[in-house]
Amino acid sequence: MSLKDEVKIALIKKGWSQRELARQMKITATYLQDILVFKRRPVERLRQMENLLDVDLSKYIRESEVREDATDISTSKS
């Protein structure tokens, strides 16, 4: 299941829309959409979603941390 699907299920259980989740996170709906489709991978926002939706997103957090580490390594080699 994708991050977007897991969040969608959690939103349905909570009775929230993506727009409401974005409002609760104090971000734009567009930015939230970027996170959900992994255009952006801010670990702190994934943790915030976990807390707000009471859902386990650790798999996606680990993927984001690995990607950040890989980016750090490739940038330091330049």
Side-chain angles (χ1 to χ4, degrees):
M1 189 177 319
S2 70
L3 171 63
K4 189 173 184 175
D5 291 339
E6 289 199 40
V7 168
K8 186 184 288 188
I9 290 168
L11 289 171
I12 290 168
K13 288 179 180 177
K14 214 158 168 84
W16 285 5
S17 64
Q18 282 186 14
R19 189 172 303 279
E20 177 60 20
L21 176 59
R23 192 181 72 72
Q24 292 289 327
M25 294 175 70
K26 296 180 175 41
I27 61 175
T28 66
T30 303
Y31 184 58
L32 175 60
Q33 188 61 30
D34 284 352
I35 295 168
L36 295 177
V37 298
F38 264 169
K39 272 186 167 178
R40 300 177 188 225
R41 296 182 178 210
V43 171
E44 69 280 357
R45 293 298 187 181
L46 292 171
R47 288 195 177 113
Q48 187 181 17
M49 272 192 266
E50 255 188 337
N51 293 331
L52 286 168
L53 298 175
D54 193 29
V55 64
D56 180 15
L57 301 177
S58 57
K59 173 173 80 172
Y60 306 104
I61 291 169
R62 278 192 305 277
E63 287 176 19
S64 294
E65 289 172 336
V66 166
R67 184 174 177 183
E68 283 179 2
D69 289 345
T71 302
D72 290 345
I73 291 168
S74 67
T75 335
S76 65
K77 289 183 179 181
S78 303

